[in-house]
Amino acid sequence: MALWQSIKRDIQAALERDPAARSALEVVLAYPGFHARQIHRLAHALWRRRIPLLPRLISHLGRALTGIEIHPGAQIGEGLFIDHGMGVVIGETAVIGDDCTLYQGVTLGGVSTRRTKRHPTLGNRVVVGAGAKLLGSIEIGDDVKVGAGSVVVQSVPPNATVVGVPGRGGCHSRCRYRNDRAVAGPRRGSDHCPSGAGASVGGAARSPGRTPAPAVGCADRGRGPARLLR
């Protein structure tokens, strides 16, 4: 995609996903996530040409201006939207697919000191809530939603919802719930709903007259984090 078309897609992403955005000019002038993405374009281009030091200086300047730290080596797809953005950290070997959304305080971090792939890989249309931490060389599938404040240390299959510390996998969005049990949608044991019990997108399932229970995803209660791999 041509550079101008790619920048236009970044602007359109903000207009589509942030109801507070009023115009393209407002996005260009007043959205730190947009600014950070464009600064990263320059830093990443220099990084790929193996120019020493300068890409890191540009990245450092971008962090000072926007509060968003993106390593020059990170690979970012089209249509990324970073909302608010303060405190977002994207590591050197992170890979982000197309049309992803990151909220403030998100970390795509590493857990290894070796010079190898050590940061997450996000698929397309992934949404990561405020303050969530995705750690290690894990893979997050397409259309995954990560709840605010979650800590994810395992790979996540497509179309899942992950909440909690550590992150627990929820059912596919086609599931419906009654008293914390999936009552429709993929059958028990299917790829999208491994064990048949799940949490709603907002956390715990809701039913009239009862206090929502803690979200446990598709794992049976008391058995620890759900296994996120199929």
Side-chain angles (χ1 to χ4, degrees):
M1 180 179 291
L3 176 61
W4 174 239
Q5 292 297 323
S6 183
I7 294 174
K8 285 178 64 177
R9 185 164 175 180
D10 291 340
I11 296 172
Q12 189 62 33
L15 292 173
E16 290 175 353
R17 293 176 228 164
D18 184 6
R22 296 293 186 265
S23 68
L25 182 61
E26 180 179 333
V27 172
V28 171
L29 296 179
Y31 272 61
F34 175 79
H35 300 156
R37 175 67 179 103
Q38 309 321 311
I39 292 170
H40 175 263
R41 290 182 188 276
L42 174 59
H44 185 65
L46 297 175
W47 179 269
R48 293 183 61 186
R49 289 166 175 78
R50 300 183 182 278
I51 296 175
L53 185 59
L54 185 57
R56 291 302 304 269
L57 292 177
I58 293 173
S59 173
H60 187 70
L61 176 63
R63 182 180 68 169
L65 293 174
T66 65
I68 299 168
E69 181 175 350
I70 308 177
H71 192 283
Q75 301 177 44
I76 298 178
E78 304 296 335
L80 173 66
F81 176 48
I82 302 176
D83 198 7
H84 302 292
M86 182 63 70
V88 168
V89 177
I90 300 175
E92 176 187 9
T93 62
V95 179
I96 300 177
D98 295 338
D99 299 313
C100 291
T101 302
L102 309 180
Y103 289 90
Q104 67 272 17
V106 166
T107 297
L108 305 184
V111 295
S112 172
T113 58
R114 298 181 180 179
R115 293 186 177 180
T116 184
K117 178 73 168 80
R118 59 191 185 278
H119 297 94
T121 296
L122 274 58
N124 300 324
R125 299 172 300 280
V126 173
V127 178
V128 185
K133 314 300 178 185
L134 282 63
L135 305 175
S137 183
I138 58 177
E139 295 187 3
I140 308 300
D142 294 346
D143 300 294
V144 165
K145 294 178 175 60
V146 179
S150 300
V151 177
V152 183
V153 294
Q154 298 179 6
S155 294
V156 182
N159 302 299
T161 297
V162 182
V163 296
V165 181
R168 302 166 187 259
C171 290
H172 187 273
S173 58
R174 287 179 294 176
C175 291
R176 292 191 294 110
Y177 306 96
R178 181 180 300 130
N179 296 330
D180 294 340
R181 303 292 295 182
V183 296
R187 70 183 187 280
R188 183 182 181 92
S190 71
D191 287 346
H192 296 306
C193 189
S195 65
S200 66
V201 172
R206 295 182 176 89
S207 60
R210 65 191 297 264
T211 302
V216 296
C218 286
D220 292 334
R221 294 185 183 279
R223 294 178 57 188
R227 294 185 179 274
L228 297 176
L229 296 177
R230 285 187 276 180

